[in-house]
C-alpha cells in the first residue's frame, strides 16, 4: 500500500486545478474560434439527439402494437399540428373495420382534413383485421412529401462523366403508396420494418458491435416481377416517415450497376470505391440516414470461384472484392441501410450472402394474395368510374376468387398488368364497362398468357 503525504496531496491538487483551468481556457478558445452558425448547428444536433432518445420508447410501443397512422399532408401548419392530429384520431375511430393497409382519402364532413390532408395510411395489417373501436393508442405521424427531381451521382473518368446512381431526398412523392399496394403471403413488411428499427434501437442503446454483429444489409431474392425492387423503395419511404423523429435527413440511392463496368480497364472497382467514399462522407453526419439499393446484385457479386473457373476478366473479381470491402467499412455506421435484390441467388458470391443480416425469398403470390391484388384493382376501377358496379359484394368476391385460382403461379407484375390489358380488348359503348365484361376479358387474357408461356417453354427446351 502506498501512502502520500499531505504536502504531496497539496501539490497534486494544485496541479489538477491548474490542469482544469488550462483545459477550461482551451475549451473557451475552441468555442470562440467556432462561428455562430457552427454553435447553432452543434446545439441543434444535440437537441435532435436528445429528442431521438425520447422517441425510441414511443416508437417501440408503436411497433409492438403494429399500428401506425401516417398522414400525408399538402401543408404542415405549425400552429395546427395538434388540432390536425386530434381530428385524424377522431376520424379513424369513426371507421368500422381496418385491414390490409387501408388508405383513407375522402373526408366529406371534415373541413380541416379536406384542406390539409391528401391521404391517411393505416397500419400494416398483414394477418388480422382490427376494429377501430378496439384501438387504445394511435401513433400519428404528419408528414409532407418532397417533389424535387432526383440528383444524378456522377464520376468523371478521363473527361467523361458516368452516372453511377440517383439520389432522392425522402419522403418523396414518387414512392408514395408503393408500400400499401404490395401484397405478400407472409408478414414480410412488418419483418423488414422491425429489423430496421432494431438496428437503430441497438445503436441508441450503445450495444457493442464486437459482441452482437450487424452489417445493416438485406438481400431479397426470387423470380422476376414479384415486387423485390418495389418493396425496397417502399421500405425506404416508410423508414423516412416512421423514423422522422430520429433523423433530420433521409437519402435514398439507387445504384446503376451497369455503369460501373467502365470501358477503361480496371476502372470498375475504382468507380465503386468513389461511390462508397461519397456515401461514407455523408454517413459521418449522425442525423442523416442513408439507404442504398443495389438492384440485381448478381451483376456485381458473381461468385469468385465460378469466375476463376470460367476465365472471367480480373476486373470482375476486383469489383466483388471492392464491394465486400466497402460493406465491411460501412458497418461501423449505424445510420445506413444496404438493400440488395437478386433473381439468381445461386451465382452470388457466398461472402456477400454471409454478410447479409436478413435474407428473404420473394416468390409468386398465393391464391389468397392474388385475390387481394385483384380486389384492389377492381376497387380502383370502380372508384374512378371506369367500372359500373352492379354486383353484390359476395358475388364479386366469388368471381374474383375463381379468377385468382386460374392465375396461380403468375408474378405480381403480371397480375397487376392483366386488368389493363383486358380492359383494352373490350369494345366500349358507354364511358364505363360492367364487371362481367372485365371478368370475361381477364379470363381470355389468362388463357392467352398461359398458351404463350407454354410455347416459350417448348421453344427454349428444343
Amino acid at each position: 500500500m502506498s501512502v502520500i503525504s499531505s504536502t504531496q496531496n497539496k501539490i497534486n491538487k494544485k496541479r489538477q486545478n491548474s490542469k482544469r483551468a488550462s483545459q477550461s481556457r482551451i475549451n473557451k478558445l475552441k468555442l470562440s474560434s467556432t462561428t455562430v452558425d457552427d454553435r447553432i448547428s452543434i446545439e441543434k444536433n444535440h437537441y435532435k439527439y436528445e429528442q431521438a432518445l425520447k422517441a425510441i420508447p414511443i416508437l417501440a410501443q408503436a411497433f409492438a402494437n403494429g399500428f401506425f397512422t401516417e398522414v400525408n399532408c399538402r401543408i404542415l401548419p405549425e400552429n395546427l399540428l395538434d388540432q390536425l392530429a386530434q381530428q385524424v384520431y377522431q376520424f379513424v375511430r369513426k371507421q368500422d373495420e381496418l385491414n390490409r393497409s387501408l388508405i383513407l382519402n375522402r373526408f366529406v364532413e371534415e373541413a380541416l382534413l379536406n384542406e390539409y390532408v391528401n391521404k391517411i395510411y393505416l397500419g400494416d395489417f398483414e394477418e388480422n383485421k382490427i376494429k377501430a373501436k378496439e384501438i387504445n393508442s394511435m401513433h400519428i405521424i404528419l408528414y409532407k412529401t418532397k417533389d424535387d427531381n432526383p440528383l444524378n451521382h456522377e464520376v468523371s473518368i478521363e473527361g467523361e462523366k458516368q452516372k453511377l446512381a440517383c439520389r432522392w431526398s425522402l419522403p418523396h412523392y414518387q414512392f408514395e403508396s408503393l408500400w400499401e399496394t404490395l401484397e405478400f403471403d407472409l408478414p414480410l413488411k412488418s419483418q423488414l420494418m422491425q429489423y430496421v428499427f432494431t438496428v437503430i434501437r441497438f445503436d441508441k442503446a450503445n450495444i457493442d458491435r464486437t459482441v452482437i454483429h450487424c452489417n445493416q444489409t438485406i438481400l431479397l431474392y426470387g423470380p422476376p416481377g414479384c415486387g423485390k425492387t418495389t418493396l425496397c423503395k417502399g421500405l425506404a419511404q416508410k423508414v423516412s416517415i416512421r423514423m422522422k423523429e430520429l433523423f433530420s435527413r433521409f437519402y435514398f440511392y439507387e445504384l446503376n450497376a451497369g455503369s460501373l463496368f467502365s470501358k477503361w480497364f480496371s476502372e470498375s472497382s475504382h468507380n465503386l470505391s468513389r461511390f462508397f467514399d461519397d456515401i461514407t462522407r455523408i454517413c459521418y453526419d449522425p442525423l442523416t440516414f442513408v439507404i442504398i439499393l443495389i438492384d440485381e446484385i448478381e451483376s456485381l457479386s458473381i461468385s469468385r470461384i465460378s469466375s476463376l473457373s470460367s476465365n472471367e476478366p480480373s476486373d470482375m473479381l476486383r469489383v466483388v472484392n471492392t464491394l465486400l470491402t466497402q460493406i465491411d467499412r460501412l458497418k461501423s455506421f449505424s445510420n445506413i441501410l444496404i438493400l440488395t435484390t437478386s433473381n439468381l441467388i445461386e451465382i452470388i458470391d457466398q461472402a456477400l450472402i454471409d454478410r447479409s443480416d436478413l435474407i428473404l425469398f420473394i416468390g409468386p403470390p398465393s391464391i389468397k394474395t392474388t385475390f387481394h391484388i385483384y380486389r384492389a384493382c377492381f376497387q380502383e376501377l370502380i372508384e374512378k368510374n371506369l367500372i359500373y358496379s352492379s354486383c353484390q359484394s359476395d358475388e364479386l368476391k366469388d368471381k374474383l376468387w375463381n379468377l385468382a385460382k386460374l392465375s396461380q403461379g403468375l408474378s405480381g407484375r403480371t397480375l397487376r398488368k392483366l386488368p389493363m390489358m383486358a380492359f383494352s380488348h373490350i369494345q366500349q359503348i358507354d364511358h364505363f364497362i360492367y364487371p362481367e365484361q372485365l371478368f370475361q376479358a381477364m379470363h381470355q387474357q389468362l388463357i392467352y398468357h398461359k398458351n404463350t408461356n407454354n410455347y416459350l417453354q417448348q421453344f427454349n427446351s428444343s
Side-chain angles (χ1 to χ4, degrees), residues 274-286:
R274 289 186 186 100
F275 171 74
F276 278 105
D277 285 344
D278 291 341
I279 295 296
T280 302
R281 282 192 287 271
I282 294 173
C283 287
Y284 276 112
D285 178 4

Side-chain angles (χ1 to χ4, degrees), residues 103 105-106 378-387:
I103 302 175
N105 54 12
R106 294 183 180 179
F378 267 76
Q379 286 175 345
E380 176 70 10
L381 292 171
I382 290 170
E383 286 180 8
K384 300 301 167 58
N385 298 317
L386 292 177
I387 291 181

Side-chain angles (χ1 to χ4, degrees), residues 45-63:
N45 287 351
H46 180 71
Y47 175 76
K48 186 70 179 181
Y49 181 77
E50 293 295 324
Q51 291 296 104
L53 290 180
K54 292 177 182 177
I56 288 288
I58 299 172
L59 274 174
Q61 183 180 2
F63 275 105

Side-chain angles (χ1 to χ4, degrees), residues 95 97-104 120-123 125:
Q95 308 304 309
E97 193 173 68
L98 312 176
N99 64 332
R100 308 302 296 187
S101 295
L102 183 63
I103 302 175
L104 303 174
I120 299 175
Y121 301 96
L122 298 174
F125 305 110

Side-chain angles (χ1 to χ4, degrees), residues 99-288:
N99 64 332
R100 308 302 296 187
S101 295
L102 183 63
I103 302 175
L104 303 174
N105 54 12
R106 294 183 180 179
F107 319 108
V108 179
E109 298 178 358
E110 308 291 338
L112 198 63
L113 300 188
N114 265 321
E115 184 176 356
Y116 292 106
V117 175
N118 287 320
K119 293 180 181 179
I120 299 175
Y121 301 96
L122 298 174
D124 294 322
F125 305 110
E126 296 172 301
E127 295 178 342
N128 303 315
K129 297 178 181 179
I130 186 172
K131 297 287 185 181
K133 294 179 181 178
E134 296 174 358
I135 300 172
N136 296 320
S137 62
M138 192 181 299
H139 191 72
I140 298 174
I141 304 171
L142 305 173
Y143 71 96
K144 185 177 181 295
T145 57
K146 296 176 174 62
D147 58 1
D148 53 333
N149 293 324
L151 295 176
N152 290 331
H153 190 95
E154 298 176 332
V155 294
S156 180
I157 302 172
E158 296 196 10
E160 290 186 15
K161 286 189 175 180
Q162 285 189 316
K163 176 183 169 185
L164 288 187
C166 284
R167 189 187 83 179
W168 285 265
S169 294
L170 300 178
H172 201 277
Y173 82 94
Q174 289 187 15
F175 303 146
E176 196 68 4
S177 301
L178 289 181
W179 187 257
E180 285 71 24
T181 59
L182 292 166
E183 297 279 355
F184 299 105
D185 301 313
L186 298 174
L188 299 177
K189 294 193 286 187
S190 299
Q191 188 177 356
L192 288 168
M193 284 300 306
Q194 287 279 10
Y195 164 80
V196 177
F197 178 63
T198 302
V199 170
I200 297 171
R201 192 177 182 184
F202 272 38
D203 175 65
K204 299 301 181 186
N206 293 318
I207 296 296
D208 190 341
R209 290 292 185 92
T210 61
V211 178
I212 299 179
H213 289 230
C214 178
N215 288 310
Q216 292 116 248
T217 303
I218 297 173
L219 172 60
L220 305 180
Y221 72 99
C226 292
K228 299 184 293 295
T229 304
T230 304
L231 180 58
C232 289
K233 292 179 179 179
L235 176 64
Q237 181 85 339
K238 284 300 174 188
V239 167
S240 70
I241 294 169
R242 296 184 183 179
M243 315 289 181
K244 64 177 292 193
E245 297 300 322
L246 307 181
F247 300 93
S248 298
R249 290 163 296 279
F250 293 85
Y251 292 134
F252 175 73
Y253 287 85
E254 187 171 14
L255 185 62
N256 181 8
S259 67
L260 284 170
F261 295 100
S262 170
K263 63 182 179 181
W264 306 107
F265 182 71
S266 78
E267 279 296 330
S268 304
S269 58
H270 293 161
N271 289 349
L272 193 61
S273 294
R274 289 186 186 100
F275 171 74
F276 278 105
D277 285 344
D278 291 341
I279 295 296
T280 302
R281 282 192 287 271
I282 294 173
C283 287
Y284 276 112
D285 178 4
L287 296 182
T288 298

Side-chain angles (χ1 to χ4, degrees), residues 200-394:
I200 297 171
R201 192 177 182 184
F202 272 38
D203 175 65
K204 299 301 181 186
N206 293 318
I207 296 296
D208 190 341
R209 290 292 185 92
T210 61
V211 178
I212 299 179
H213 289 230
C214 178
N215 288 310
Q216 292 116 248
T217 303
I218 297 173
L219 172 60
L220 305 180
Y221 72 99
C226 292
K228 299 184 293 295
T229 304
T230 304
L231 180 58
C232 289
K233 292 179 179 179
L235 176 64
Q237 181 85 339
K238 284 300 174 188
V239 167
S240 70
I241 294 169
R242 296 184 183 179
M243 315 289 181
K244 64 177 292 193
E245 297 300 322
L246 307 181
F247 300 93
S248 298
R249 290 163 296 279
F250 293 85
Y251 292 134
F252 175 73
Y253 287 85
E254 187 171 14
L255 185 62
N256 181 8
S259 67
L260 284 170
F261 295 100
S262 170
K263 63 182 179 181
W264 306 107
F265 182 71
S266 78
E267 279 296 330
S268 304
S269 58
H270 293 161
N271 289 349
L272 193 61
S273 294
R274 289 186 186 100
F275 171 74
F276 278 105
D277 285 344
D278 291 341
I279 295 296
T280 302
R281 282 192 287 271
I282 294 173
C283 287
Y284 276 112
D285 178 4
L287 296 182
T288 298
F289 195 86
V290 179
I291 302 167
I292 303 173
L293 169 60
I294 309 176
D295 215 2
E296 298 182 3
I297 196 169
E298 62 269 13
S299 62
L300 297 183
S301 58
I302 190 168
S303 172
R304 287 168 290 184
I305 295 174
S306 62
S307 296
L308 289 170
S309 60
S310 60
N311 296 319
E312 287 282 345
S314 59
D315 200 25
M316 171 62 79
L317 298 177
R318 280 194 286 268
V319 168
V320 177
N321 291 332
T322 301
L323 180 61
L324 296 173
T325 301
Q326 295 298 337
I327 290 176
D328 288 339
R329 179 185 174 192
L330 287 173
K331 72 180 182 181
S332 61
F333 298 97
S334 62
N335 56 335
I336 188 166
L337 177 66
I338 302 174
L339 305 174
T340 65
T341 71
S342 175
N343 299 330
L344 301 166
I345 191 174
E346 60 273 9
I347 69 171
I348 295 178
D349 195 278
Q350 186 59 43
L352 177 69
I353 295 175
D354 185 60
R355 281 165 171 78
S356 301
D357 298 331
L358 201 57
I359 304 172
L360 298 175
F361 174 73
I362 312 294
S366 65
I367 295 174
K368 180 181 177 182
T369 302
T370 301
F371 164 78
H372 287 300
I373 291 173
Y374 280 158
R375 186 173 65 175
C377 292
F378 267 76
Q379 286 175 345
E380 176 70 10
L381 292 171
I382 290 170
E383 286 180 8
K384 300 301 167 58
N385 298 317
L386 292 177
I387 291 181
Y388 176 75
S389 180
S390 58
C391 294
Q392 298 295 325
S393 59
D394 290 340

